[in-house]
Amino acid sequence: MKYLLLIYMDENAMSDTEREHCYGESAQLAQDLHTQGQFLATAPLHPVATATSVQVRDGKSLVTDGPFAETREQLGGFFLVNAQDLDEAIAIATRIPGAKVGTVEIRPVIEVTGLPAQP
C-alpha cells in the first residue's frame, strides 16, 4: 500500500547548516528505501512565503498568496512510500530526520483506477 508521509515543522527550527544535514540524511533514507523497493518519491518544499492557494467557488477562481492554513508548523516536505501496513509506514516515518524537530503525518493513498501510470 502507498503512504504519503507529510513532514511538518516550524520552517525556522533549523539553521541552514542543520537543514543541509537534514537533506543529506533524507537522501540516504531515500536510497535505503529504494534498495528495499519501498521508495516512490520525496522532496523538500520551498518556504511558506512562496505558497499560493487556489479555491474554486461557484465556478470562480480565488487565488491568494500564502499557505492554505496559518499554523505554527508548516508542511516542509514529503516521502511517498510503499509499505505493507501502517506499522511499517510508522517505522519508516520514525527514520525521517524532520521527525526529530517536527511531526510526520502518515496518510494512506487511495489507489484510483484509470489514472495514467506514474513514472
Side-chain angles (χ1 to χ4, degrees):
M1 174 171 227
K2 292 178 184 170
Y3 288 89
L4 184 60
L5 310 178
L6 300 161
I7 306 161
Y8 291 92
M9 69 178 68
D10 178 340
E11 63 188 16
N12 298 312
M14 288 190 240
S15 67
D16 289 344
T17 301
E18 290 169 324
R19 189 175 323 284
E20 288 302 317
H21 181 72
C22 180
Y23 293 164
E25 284 185 72
S26 294
Q28 183 58 55
L29 174 57
Q31 285 295 329
D32 294 348
L33 294 171
H34 177 72
T35 300
Q36 297 166 7
Q38 296 177 292
F39 177 79
L40 296 172
T42 188
L45 301 176
H46 283 279
V48 146
T50 66
T52 301
S53 296
V54 176
Q55 295 178 321
V56 178
R57 302 291 187 271
D58 298 321
K60 296 180 182 172
S61 299
L62 174 63
V63 179
T64 55
D65 292 338
F68 170 67
E70 296 292 329
T71 62
R72 210 169 37 104
E73 294 183 324
Q74 296 80 36
L75 178 60
F78 70 91
F79 274 80
L80 180 61
V81 300
N82 273 319
Q84 291 181 6
D85 54 29
L86 179 59
D87 289 335
E88 189 170 60
I90 291 169
I92 294 169
T94 64
R95 297 171 59 197
I96 295 174
K100 296 174 191 169
V101 295
T103 301
V104 178
E105 177 183 344
I106 301 169
R107 301 280 299 272
V109 174
I110 298 172
E111 302 274 346
V112 178
T113 58
L115 295 176
Q118 296 180 14

